[in-house]
Amino acid sequence: MQNKGLIKLFAILFGIVSIYQLSFTFFANKVEDSAKEYAKANVPDNNGRALAKYERKYLDSVANKEVIDLIFAKYSYNDIKKSQMNLGLDLKGGINAILQVSVKDILVGLSNNSKNPVFLEALAKADEAQKNSQSDYLDLFFNQFESLSNGSVKLSDPSIFGTKSLRDKIDFNKTNEQVKSTLQEEINTSINTAFEVLRSRIDKFGVVQPNIQRIGTSGRIQVELPGAKDIERVQKLLQSTAELQFWEVYTNAEVQNFFFAVNAKVAELLKDDSTTEQVKDSAKADNIDDLLGESADSTKVENQKNLFTYLFPNIAQSQQQMSSLVAHARVQDTAKVNSFLHNKEVRSLLPNNLKYVKFLWDYKAQPSADGTSEIIGLYAIKSNRADKAPIDGDVIADAKQDYDQLSKPIVSMLMNGEGTKKWAKMTTENTGKFVAVVLDDYVYTAPTVNGPITGGSTQISGGSMTVNEAQDIATVLKAGKLPAPARIIEAEVVGPSLGQESIDASMWSFALAILLVLGWMVLYYGKSGLYANIALAVNILFIFGWLAAFGAVLTLPGIAGIILTIGMSVDANVIIFERIKEALNEGKGLGTSVEEGFSFKGALSAIIDANITTFLTGVILYVFGTGPIKGFAYTLMLGIGTSLFTAIFITRLFIDGAVARGTKLTFNTNISKNWFKNITVEFLQKRKIAYIVSGFFIVVGLVSILTVGLKQGVDFKGGRSYVVRFDQAMKSNEVATTLKDAFGTAPEVKTYGSENQLKITTTFKIDEEGTEVDEVVQNALYNGLKPYLGSTSYEDFKPGFEKAGNGIMSFMKVDPTIADDIKQAALWAVLGSLIIVFLYILLRFRKMAYSIGAVVAVFHDVLVVLGVFSLLYKFMPFDMEIGQSFIAAILTVVGYSLNDTVVIFDRIREFTEGKNSITASLVNKALCTTLGRTINTSLTTLLVMLAIFFFGGDSIKGFMFALIIGVVVGTYSSLFVATPIMFDVSKKEEKK
């Protein structure tokens, strides 16, 4: 081997750089472990929210302290955390979401809220069409508009898009096609704005190494925030449109007579309600007295429900009791109060001075006096016919979190020139009155105006506003307003507790897999196997060093990819060692045999072909996959590259050194020296039996698929899936029955790993839109599970933060529309990989028979794996869902099966080179001479996979089971399907 010195230098330098890069992760983990110990010492009850608070406090205190002193360089925690290895969602916890910017809302905004009936009907029909279509929303809207208008009205009409704001781009003479082109440009601009707004918000959120990217031109934006614990806060930050408004408000004195009139009207509306409510609890009466600010008659009993059953007006009996807060209600009653106040009969009672009143709730609820519920305030906003605020949030030039004179958190805002004038006018006209600051239809503050404010500055403050809330409001305001609502259509949330368990399980499986591989290589190849093990250790160092150096994200499937690479990387050494053994058995010298084994005509040709086919499937996975699947593909491709280098060059450095020193190398041990020796099996003569066996399994599998079907995962069918942990063992059928009342229909409930953990999947309200729907479904889940949750509160039950007891460990949501897109991408991934592999094998072997044999074998393997999943998914104690992870497993099986097949084909090509025809004896000989390598590699890979399957965590069991079945079937098909098919097709070609 030439250039040994250069290879040694490269290996040493890359090894040093890898260790250097990994050291940042080691030291960062030490600091973070100290933070966890500090938090646990200060939080005796293991409250997740409190633990997170103290961890953050500790890390903030050491942020700029030196934790590494390398003499030539010193690093603080802030320095090293930027260079530590990125852990994905499934290992660190956090949220991965895909947001859809509403193109419909952009169109409505561009039309200036057009009321044109054709326009509105086209939007409604486009909404319906989108449920069963993959087309862009604009195309659907355009087609519907063309059909409905039939030339009677154009998109450029002043009542639609011929507005003042678009007059420079759209005039009445423009055709619908021209207007559509302009609208597409405006939509792209709005989506770009949304992307920049979201990126600005996320950058200020404080998560280490967040990721945000646009997904094509679909209006979808992917956001990954590994390590985020306050999931509710993240969701609000991502979806908030930041519609800031300044309104004048009515006082409680101005609306109290209206409330009394409504009270009588609601009593009338509810008079047929058979359910009566008697106020017997004195504590409850005292609570209402406190809210009303007066002494109520405790002997008074109301049998008939009315408005005041749910809403407690803030009565003003003197000037001192005048307030902008007009009423209170329990949080659970707000929907009912809203329905009353929006009722047509109730609105008809409004006097002329209150004609356009708009009732808005406070942004934050407060605990009631007795602590049994949460109370929220109500405000009466002075709206108008157009519902247009006197001042909008686009006048804000700057915003920041600050503190008032009492050291309470506030948001300080600075207005631009236009805003300064409007604010001065508004505060002048309302001196001595109240003005409300409204963000996203919630009132954040409604203080008294003591005098005109002419400097253009103002504040948002609230009695119980936290620092985090103030920071988020400032972030949203400063980053800007989303041009249209961004709705989460796909989300995956993993709690930090589950993430830590995944890390622990991964480390166990990783260590066991390495030990099994190292032990097997020494057992089978002796001292040569030891050299291969050293190369394997270097390979692992290179993989992790690369991941750390280039900021790649390590996920649970990514770890599976690395462990799988370890199993498959042994294959290159096995092929080389088997070729060296063959040369030694032919009587050649050790040096000559080694040279021949490492040559292109020896093992190198088969190694390169086999690894390229696997690499190509990795490329397809990376292109079509998302999130963890992308991580799996990345580590698989990276592992193939480093494995080739270490197997071909590092192993050879040690073997050449041993040969030069005169060390005796036999490439076997006393135990293995006679294994797979002088094997003579007539494989082709048994091909008809193999065809019958394969045909039987495929037919059984297809019958099961067509009758029983496959269990589609949430990412393929849409829905929500929750992994919930309990304090005691649970019965899944009992829980499913209990949840039927909460969801309307019984959800799918299955034990997930241990007996105290369930996976609950439901399609409840999945077709409904709105940022509040997720909260409604989660609340229904909590109420349905309440009998099993003991004293666990809703706050502790929600995902995020570490869980000391009951609670949601992880959560996944996929809208049906994006589920269809995911399925389509998966189908293209499988078909694309088959086409690319077919063409590559055709290019390398120059015969159609080889490509046909390989692709038929791959189809065989895929159908068998699908059949097994269809037959067993109801009986196995782990998830066997067909989703993105399953597609990744299928493509990996494709790559592995082809790897095996290509090695055999390479040997057949070698034996038949220069001959006019392929004979059965030559093919059998090729199969027999590669049988040792086939079984050795398959066994090594299976050992690795079994280690991951049994010790690698619950979330990856289905994925690994598919791989295990795939490896077994792939090994069989290489010998009994691919090669016989290739032989039969070759014979037919020869006859022609």
Side-chain angles (χ1 to χ4, degrees):
M1 183 176 67
Q2 297 177 340
N3 301 317
K4 288 184 182 179
L6 188 62
I7 291 169
K8 282 182 182 177
L9 178 64
F10 175 80
I12 291 168
L13 288 177
F14 199 1
I16 291 171
V17 170
S18 297
I19 293 169
Y20 172 74
Q21 289 293 337
L22 289 170
S23 68
F24 290 112
T25 303
F26 173 76
F27 286 110
N29 286 342
K30 282 189 68 176
V31 175
E32 287 162 10
D33 287 342
S34 298
K36 288 177 182 177
E37 289 174 11
Y38 171 79
K40 286 178 180 177
N42 285 278
V43 185
D45 61 348
N46 285 327
N47 179 274
R49 190 178 293 272
L51 286 170
K53 176 184 174 183
Y54 277 99
E55 275 183 46
R56 184 77 264 152
K57 182 180 178 181
Y58 181 90
L59 293 175
D60 287 342
S61 69
V62 300
N64 297 308
K65 289 185 179 179
E66 292 173 4
V67 292
I68 303 180
D69 187 354
L70 299 177
I71 302 174
F72 58 87
K74 296 179 180 180
Y75 297 96
S76 67
Y77 172 68
N78 272 348
D79 296 326
I80 62 174
K81 75 177 182 179
K82 294 174 185 175
S83 301
Q84 72 181 117
M85 185 178 290
N86 297 342
L87 297 180
L89 195 71
D90 45 9
L91 291 175
K92 197 174 184 179
I95 181 170
N96 175 16
I98 294 178
L99 294 100
Q100 175 76 63
V101 177
S102 174
V103 175
K104 176 185 178 180
D105 286 314
I106 294 173
L107 292 175
V108 170
L110 290 172
S111 73
N112 198 21
N113 294 305
S114 171
K115 299 295 187 287
N116 184 289
V118 178
F119 171 75
L120 295 176
E121 190 176 353
L123 288 175
K125 287 187 175 292
D127 288 343
E128 284 299 314
Q130 192 180 40
K131 293 177 181 178
N132 302 303
S133 173
Q134 305 303 311
S135 301
D136 288 342
Y137 187 88
L138 180 61
D139 292 332
L140 295 173
F141 163 76
F142 184 77
N143 293 336
Q144 293 294 338
F145 184 86
E146 289 272 88
S147 174
L148 291 166
S149 65
N150 198 23
S152 63
V153 63
K154 295 197 299 183
L155 288 171
S156 58
D157 189 277
S159 67
I160 307 177
F161 293 114
T163 59
K164 287 183 180 180
S165 59
L166 292 173
R167 62 187 170 192
D168 295 334
K169 299 175 183 177
I170 297 175
D171 58 57
F172 188 73
N173 296 321
K174 284 204 170 185
T175 65
N176 284 347
E177 282 288 348
Q178 290 172 320
V179 174
K180 181 186 176 186
S181 178
T182 303
L183 292 175
Q184 186 63 68
E185 291 175 9
E186 292 295 315
I187 288 168
N188 289 340
T189 301
S190 295
I191 293 169
N192 284 332
T193 302
F195 178 77
E196 293 302 325
V197 168
L198 287 171
R199 184 165 65 179
S200 180
R201 293 182 189 179
I202 289 164
D203 286 343
K204 295 177 177 68
F205 187 72
V207 172
V208 179
Q209 295 148 334
N211 176 39
I212 176 170
Q213 56 186 333
R214 282 189 62 176
I215 302 176
T217 58
S218 61
R220 290 172 182 166
I221 299 169
Q222 183 171 19
V223 176
E224 292 178 288
L225 298 174
K229 295 181 180 180
D230 195 340
I231 303 303
E232 189 175 14
R233 180 183 170 199
V234 172
Q235 289 172 326
K236 285 180 180 177
L237 196 67
L238 292 179
Q239 296 183 108
S240 169
T241 57
E243 189 173 4
L244 179 69
Q245 299 170 325
F246 297 84
W247 293 93
E248 297 176 359
V249 296
Y250 294 106
T251 65
N252 52 344
E254 290 174 292
V255 298
Q256 61 190 28
N257 289 335
F258 168 67
F259 280 152
F260 286 122
V262 174
N263 189 51
K265 172 59 70 175
V266 170
E268 184 183 326
L269 293 172
L270 297 178
K271 65 183 177 182
D272 295 327
D273 192 340
S274 59
T275 305
T276 58
E277 183 177 352
Q278 296 184 357
V279 182
K280 294 179 178 179
D281 189 84
S282 60
K284 190 170 182 180
D286 291 341
N287 184 31
I288 295 173
D289 291 344
D290 291 339
L291 288 167
L292 295 175
E294 62 180 351
S295 178
D297 184 359
S298 61
T299 61
K300 189 176 181 179
V301 177
E302 293 287 348
N303 293 321
Q304 173 63 53
K305 286 184 178 180
N306 51 38
L307 176 67
F308 295 163
T309 306
Y310 309 101
L311 184 73
F312 316 129
N314 185 16
I315 306 300
Q317 294 179 328
S318 66
Q319 186 68 29
Q320 288 71 31
Q321 292 179 338
M322 292 269 285
S323 171
S324 56
L325 192 67
V326 299
H328 292 85
R330 285 179 289 266
V331 170
Q332 63 264 35
D333 293 334
T334 53
K336 194 175 287 288
V337 172
N338 286 340
S339 68
F340 292 147
L341 296 179
H342 286 93
N343 183 281
K344 286 184 180 179
E345 292 185 51
V346 169
R347 297 289 296 185
S348 67
L349 300 175
L350 286 166
N352 284 335
N353 65 317
L354 296 176
K355 188 175 181 180
Y356 298 112
V357 66
K358 179 167 68 172
F359 293 100
L360 297 180
W361 297 101
D362 202 335
Y363 83 102
K364 190 176 182 182
Q366 304 293 336
S368 61
D370 59 4
T372 58
S373 61
E374 289 191 314
I375 302 296
I376 193 166
L378 184 70
Y379 296 84
I381 304 299
K382 286 187 180 180
S383 188
N384 46 58
R385 182 188 293 273
D387 195 25
K388 175 72 176 169
I391 304 176
D392 283 320
D394 53 8
V395 301
I396 301 300
D398 193 16
K400 65 178 181 178
Q401 184 267 317
D402 210 336
Y403 295 93
D404 63 13
Q405 294 175 340
L406 300 174
S407 297
K408 290 185 177 180
I410 59 170
V411 179
S412 294
M413 297 178 292
L414 185 64
M415 298 182 177
N416 59 21
E418 179 191 358
T420 299
K421 291 177 184 176
K422 288 182 177 180
W423 186 233
K425 181 176 181 291
M426 190 176 188
T427 52
T428 300
E429 292 174 353
N430 286 276
T431 298
K433 300 178 183 177
F434 302 93
V435 171
V437 180
V438 178
L439 182 64
D440 291 335
D441 280 339
Y442 287 95
V443 178
Y444 275 72
T445 184
T448 306
V449 179
N450 294 322
I453 303 173
T454 56
S457 63
T458 189
Q459 297 174 344
I460 297 178
S461 60
S464 59
M465 183 185 291
T466 66
V467 172
N468 279 346
E469 287 168 343
Q471 286 174 343
D472 286 349
I473 295 165
T475 296
V476 168
L477 295 175
K478 194 173 180 180
K481 174 182 174 181
L482 284 175
R487 187 170 61 89
I488 294 177
I489 57 172
E490 181 184 352
E492 184 178 6
V493 173
V494 179
S497 302
L498 203 59
Q500 186 58 49
E501 289 167 13
S502 296
I503 292 175
D504 296 340
S506 299
M507 294 308 294
W508 273 104
S509 63
F510 193 81
L512 182 59
I514 292 173
L515 287 174
L516 288 171
V517 171
L518 296 181
W520 176 258
M521 289 300 287
V522 173
L523 174 70
Y524 196 90
Y525 292 110
K527 190 173 287 186
S528 306
L530 185 60
Y531 296 150
N533 287 344
I534 295 171
L536 185 60
V538 173
N539 182 24
I540 294 168
L541 176 64
F542 283 0
I543 291 172
F544 281 103
W546 179 286
L547 292 173
F550 290 93
V553 178
L554 183 64
T555 62
L556 194 56
I559 289 178
I562 293 171
I563 300 176
L564 181 60
T565 300
I566 291 168
M568 294 176 71
S569 70
V570 172
D571 183 46
N573 279 318
V574 168
I575 296 172
I576 292 167
F577 291 171
E578 291 300 317
R579 292 305 293 255
I580 293 172
K581 281 165 67 176
E582 285 178 25
L584 288 172
N585 290 335
E586 291 170 5
K588 296 177 183 178
L590 181 59
T592 305
S593 299
V594 168
E595 192 69 37
E596 188 175 306
F598 280 95
S599 69
F600 190 80
K601 285 189 175 181
L604 200 56
S605 173
I607 291 170
I608 290 173
D609 283 339
N611 279 279
I612 285 177
T613 53
T614 309
F615 189 86
L616 287 173
T617 58
V619 170
I620 295 293
L621 264 177
Y622 190 80
V623 171
F624 288 97
T626 57
I629 304 309
K630 236 180 177 59
F632 172 75
Y634 185 87
T635 53
L636 186 65
M637 292 187 292
L638 172 63
I640 288 169
T642 56
S643 296
L644 280 173
F645 175 79
T646 54
I648 294 170
F649 296 111
I650 302 296
T651 305
R652 186 161 186 190
L653 282 175
F654 286 103
I655 289 178
D656 281 356
V659 171
R661 292 192 303 271
T663 305
K664 184 181 178 182
L665 291 175
T666 59
F667 294 90
N668 56 34
T669 63
N670 290 330
I671 298 172
S672 65
K673 62 182 178 182
N674 293 318
W675 291 359
F676 310 114
K677 209 170 182 180
N678 302 319
I679 296 174
T680 305
V681 179
E682 295 182 341
F683 287 95
L684 289 183
Q685 281 68 20
K686 296 175 173 58
R687 67 184 184 277
K688 289 183 179 179
I689 297 172
Y691 291 164
I692 294 170
V693 171
S694 293
F696 171 77
F697 279 107
I698 288 172
V699 168
V700 170
L702 286 174
V703 169
S704 179
I705 291 168
L706 293 173
T707 55
V708 179
L710 293 159
K711 183 186 177 185
Q712 292 190 61
V714 167
D715 47 355
F716 270 21
K717 67 181 179 182
R720 292 178 177 84
S721 181
Y722 302 86
V723 173
V724 184
R725 185 172 293 174
F726 300 87
D727 286 333
Q728 73 274 6
M730 303 296 294
K731 294 179 181 177
S732 56
N733 56 346
E734 181 184 314
V735 173
T737 304
T738 305
L739 287 174
K740 187 176 180 180
D741 294 334
F743 292 144
T745 57
E748 181 184 297
V749 182
K750 190 167 185 177
T751 301
Y752 190 79
S754 57
E755 291 184 347
N756 69 325
Q757 200 163 260
L758 297 177
K759 186 172 187 180
I760 300 166
T761 304
T762 178
T763 55
F764 178 58
K765 290 186 178 289
I766 194 61
D767 290 319
E768 293 188 20
E769 297 184 3
T771 56
E772 73 285 346
V773 176
D774 288 340
E775 184 72 17
V776 171
V777 177
Q778 195 170 263
N779 214 303
L781 176 68
Y782 171 74
N783 288 325
L785 293 175
K786 239 179 179 179
Y788 311 105
L789 297 176
S791 59
T792 303
S793 67
Y794 180 59
E795 281 299 314
D796 292 334
F797 176 76
K798 289 191 291 190
F801 299 112
E802 291 185 27
K803 303 291 180 190
N806 303 305
I808 298 174
M809 307 303 291
S810 69
F811 157 66
M812 188 175 185
K813 167 203 170 181
V814 181
D815 270 20
T817 50
I818 197 172
D820 291 337
D821 295 351
I822 293 169
K823 275 195 287 191
Q824 191 177 60
L827 180 63
W828 281 114
V830 175
L831 292 176
S833 66
L834 292 177
I835 292 168
I836 287 174
V837 167
F838 179 90
L839 294 174
Y840 177 77
I841 293 177
L842 183 62
L843 179 70
R844 284 293 288 132
F845 293 92
R846 306 299 175 100
K847 280 190 177 182
M848 186 71 75
Y850 286 100
S851 290
I852 292 172
V855 172
V856 168
V858 164
F859 267 113
H860 165 276
D861 299 343
V862 171
L863 288 174
V864 171
V865 174
L866 284 169
V868 168
F869 266 61
S870 176
L871 288 164
L872 300 181
Y873 80 82
K874 290 185 177 179
F875 309 106
M876 287 296 186
F878 52 86
D879 260 340
M880 294 180 69
E881 294 181 342
I882 307 298
Q884 291 186 88
S885 295
F886 178 80
I887 296 302
I890 286 291
L891 288 177
T892 308
V893 167
V894 168
Y896 182 85
S897 178
L898 288 167
N899 183 313
D900 216 5
T901 301
V902 165
V903 172
I904 295 170
F905 283 1
D906 197 77
R907 186 59 66 92
I908 294 171
R909 179 177 58 179
E910 180 187 334
F911 285 172
T912 58
E913 196 170 352
K915 295 180 173 58
N916 293 325
S917 66
I918 295 177
T919 64
S921 59
L922 285 176
V923 172
N924 283 332
K925 183 183 176 184
L927 287 166
C928 290
T929 54
T930 56
L931 190 60
R933 171 263 158 201
T934 300
I935 294 176
N936 205 341
T937 300
S938 298
L939 185 61
T940 309
T941 309
L942 271 175
L943 285 172
V944 171
M945 290 178 175
L946 288 168
I948 307 171
F949 178 75
F950 286 112
F951 301 100
D954 301 319
S955 62
I956 207 167
K957 279 194 182 335
F959 175 72
M960 293 313 303
F961 186 72
L963 288 179
I964 290 167
I965 299 298
V967 167
V968 173
V969 176
T971 304
Y972 161 83
S973 69
S974 300
L975 297 169
F976 293 102
V977 178
T979 308
I981 292 286
M982 180 277 298
F983 178 77
D984 288 339
V985 173
S986 295
K987 284 302 175 185
K988 286 183 180 179
E989 288 178 350
E990 287 175 15
K991 285 180 182 179
K992 288 180 182 179

